[in-house]
């Protein structure tokens, strides 16, 4: 087993905290931030390995961007590195949303100018990431066609299982088109987790999915009921954070755990903070049972994502090196580009570029990233300040 030094863990923590404080814009934008930090700047992974990891996490239920971050942390620093990467990326928004729940539930932030500026930042970040990935992953007409098909299907047929179906079909066509193709060998994940432990994590994932509802029915302990609701939400949702919100609403509003206006106040707060949208669970938990409830809800909703990524990656790395599988992965990676472009249009573009001045500002932010090579945190700050100026003038 690879020995992990303290310096590596500190590095993972610092970088993940920085991402947790600056990654606005939802899961697709988060993948752009990760790409800029881990692939372009740090070179912790090559382009193909990152695309393979993104493809796997898009296929699994749960918060894809958080699973990518956990996976990178584990590859870099073992299980402890994965936990640290998760804590660093998640805790800033968890703390902010618990504070909203306890102190600022009635704060009206929905129309703040800096929020709009951060949405425009997401446009620039995602556009930059997509261009970089497309150059590497769709170099020929066949892969461009797969990406175009993935874009078309996911944009015109928006269901929770569309992405999974597109990835399966892309893998099938990739296998047919590239079964005789010999691609560059991808870099190996230095993944210090055994298949035995991965199997245990997968068994625990399914075991809790079955056992928690049974325990909920057999007992009257409120924290078990709350843990069950959040765990199922994290385990059964495909499509990212926006999909989990209506599921959480059905779990907690009709049952009387919290009022509809409290839910809507938290929804506005969740849109305003960086990091994964799944941390909305921290707000709900804090409304129900204070900061302890917020931490319990966060642990419960992210636990399935952690178990799934730890359980699948030991097998995934060997599969992606299999020559028979590599053709399928070529198709899957091309489809991921199309899926990202689809998500770039809606909801990122449609909710952010509302006026010509927004487009001009997005072009400036993109130029800061792509041409002037400014760091993402500087682009985030510029976006927030520029958003306030645009709001005050227009």
């Amino acid at each position: 087993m690879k020995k992990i030094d303290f310096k590596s863990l500190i590095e993972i923590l610092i970088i993940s905290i920085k991402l947790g404080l600056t990654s606005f814009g939802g899961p697709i934008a988060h993948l752009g931030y990760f790409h800029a930090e881990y692939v372009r700047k740090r070179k912790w992974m090559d382009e193909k390995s990152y695309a393979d990891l993104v493809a796997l996490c898009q296929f699994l239920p749960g918060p894809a961007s958080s699973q990518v971050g956990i996976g990178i942390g584990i590859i870099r620093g073992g299980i402890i590195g994965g936990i640290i990467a998760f804590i660093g990326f998640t805790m800033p928004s968890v703390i902010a949303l618990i504070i909203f729940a306890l102190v600022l539930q009635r704060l009206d932030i929905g129309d703040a100018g800096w929020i709009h500026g951060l949405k425009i930042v997401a446009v620039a970040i995602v556009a930059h990431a997509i261009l970089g990935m497309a150059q590497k992953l769709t170099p020929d007409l066949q892969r461009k066609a797969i990406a175009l098909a993935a874009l078309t299907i996911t944009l015109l047929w928006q269901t929770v299982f569309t992405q999974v179906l597109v990835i399966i079909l892309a893998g099938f066509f990739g296998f047919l088109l590239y079964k005789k193709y010999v691609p560059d060998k991808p870099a190996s994940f230095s993944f210090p987790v055994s298949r035995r432990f991965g199997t245990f994590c997968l068994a625990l994932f399914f075991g809790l999915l079955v056992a928690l509802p049974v325990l909920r029915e057999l007992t009257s302990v409120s924290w078990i009921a709350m843990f069950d609701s959040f765990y199922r939400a994290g385990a059964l949702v495909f499509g990212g954070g926006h999909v989990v919100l209506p599921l959480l609403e059905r779990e907690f509003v009709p049952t009387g755990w919290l009022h509809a206006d409290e839910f809507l106040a938290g929804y506005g707060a969740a849109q305003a903070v960086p990091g994964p949208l799944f941390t909305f669970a921290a707000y709900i938990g804090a409304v129900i049972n204070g900061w302890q409830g917020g931490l319990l809800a966060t642990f419960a909703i992210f636990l399935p994502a952690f178990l799934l990524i730890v359980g699948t990656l030991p097998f995934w790395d060997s599969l992606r090196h299999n020559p028979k599988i590599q053709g399928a992965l070529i198709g899957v990676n091309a489809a991921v580009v199309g899926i990202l472009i689809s998500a770039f249009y809606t909801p990122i573009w449609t909710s952010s570029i509302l006026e010509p001045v927004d487009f001009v500002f997005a072009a400036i932010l993109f130029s800061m990233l792509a041409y002037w090579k400014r760091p993402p945190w500087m682009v985030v700050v510029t976006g927030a300040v520029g958003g306030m100026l645009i709001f005050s003038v227009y």
Side-chain angles (χ1 to χ4, degrees):
M1 181 175 287
K2 179 183 175 182
K3 185 178 180 181
I4 306 303
D5 61 278
F6 187 71
K7 183 179 178 181
S8 295
L9 298 179
I10 292 295
E11 184 183 27
I12 293 170
L13 179 63
I14 292 173
I15 295 171
S16 60
I17 288 176
K18 183 180 75 170
L19 289 168
L21 289 169
T22 58
S23 295
F24 293 88
I28 303 300
H30 300 162
L31 296 179
Y33 283 98
F34 289 169
H35 183 270
E37 186 69 32
Y38 293 129
V39 179
R40 290 179 180 268
K41 182 179 179 181
R42 305 280 171 181
K43 301 189 186 304
W44 285 4
M45 305 180 75
D46 62 280
E47 292 277 357
K48 189 177 189 311
S49 294
Y50 181 74
D52 287 349
L53 181 59
V54 171
L56 172 63
C57 295
Q58 293 279 0
F59 185 79
L60 296 174
S65 61
S66 296
Q67 288 169 314
V68 170
I70 292 169
I72 293 173
I74 293 174
I75 292 165
R76 184 71 177 178
I79 292 292
I80 296 176
I83 294 172
I84 289 175
F86 164 74
I87 291 173
F89 182 60
T90 306
M91 279 302 110
S93 56
V94 168
I95 293 170
L97 288 171
I98 289 176
I99 291 174
F100 270 112
L102 300 180
V103 182
L104 304 173
Q105 293 184 32
R106 306 302 176 183
L107 183 65
D108 183 13
I109 59 171
D111 295 325
W114 63 275
I115 297 294
H116 185 61
L118 293 175
K119 290 182 179 180
I120 298 176
V121 169
V123 171
I125 291 285
V126 175
H128 188 234
I130 288 173
L131 285 175
M133 294 181 71
Q135 290 173 355
K136 298 286 186 179
L137 302 178
T138 58
D140 53 51
L141 289 179
Q142 291 92 332
R143 278 177 271 191
K144 286 181 172 65
I146 293 174
L148 178 60
L151 184 161
T152 303
I153 294 172
T154 54
L155 199 58
L156 299 181
W157 185 34
Q158 298 184 19
T159 72
V160 294
F161 296 107
T162 299
Q163 286 189 9
V164 176
L165 177 62
V166 165
I167 288 175
I168 292 173
L169 290 175
F172 174 72
F173 284 106
F175 175 78
L176 293 179
L177 291 170
Y178 295 98
K179 57 185 176 182
K180 296 183 179 180
Y181 179 75
V182 181
D184 295 334
K185 185 178 180 180
S188 293
F189 288 144
S190 178
F191 193 69
V193 176
S194 67
R195 291 190 175 191
R196 186 174 183 178
F197 186 71
T199 302
F200 168 77
C201 289
L202 292 177
L204 183 60
F205 167 80
F206 289 107
L208 288 173
L209 199 58
V210 174
L212 285 172
V214 175
L215 286 175
R216 182 175 187 165
E217 291 297 322
L218 294 178
T219 67
S220 57
V221 181
S222 60
W223 71 264
I224 292 180
M226 188 167 72
F227 194 99
D228 171 53
S229 293
F230 284 113
Y231 184 87
R232 278 188 290 108
L236 301 177
V237 168
F238 290 88
H242 291 282
V243 180
V244 83
L245 294 175
L247 179 60
L248 291 176
E249 192 275 339
R250 290 194 298 270
E251 285 284 340
F252 292 101
V253 175
T255 55
W257 288 84
L258 74 165
H259 298 295
D261 57 346
E262 292 175 321
F263 184 89
L264 293 175
Y267 180 82
Q271 301 292 328
V273 299
L277 197 53
F278 266 56
T279 54
F280 181 46
Y283 169 87
I284 296 177
V287 170
I288 295 173
N289 197 25
W291 65 266
Q292 300 95 329
L295 294 179
L296 176 68
T298 302
F299 176 74
I301 202 167
F302 281 101
L303 179 59
F306 196 92
L307 293 175
L308 283 173
I309 197 66
V310 175
T312 54
L313 266 180
F315 304 96
W316 181 249
D317 191 38
S318 62
L319 283 175
R320 75 192 189 98
H321 283 84
N322 187 319
K324 296 180 180 179
I325 302 296
Q326 288 196 35
L329 288 177
I330 289 173
V332 169
N333 289 337
V336 167
V337 173
I339 291 170
L340 293 178
I341 296 173
S342 172
F344 174 69
Y345 175 72
T346 180
I348 293 176
W349 181 279
T350 55
S351 65
S352 306
I353 308 302
L354 308 178
E355 302 288 344
V357 66
D358 298 332
F359 181 84
V360 171
F361 191 40
I364 293 172
L365 297 175
F366 177 84
S367 298
M368 290 178 64
L369 275 173
Y371 308 129
W372 302 329
K373 308 300 181 183
R374 299 295 92 190
W377 68 264
M378 186 178 296
V379 179
V380 170
V381 173
T382 304
V385 174
M388 289 188 290
L389 293 175
I390 291 173
F391 186 77
S392 63
V393 173
Y394 291 87

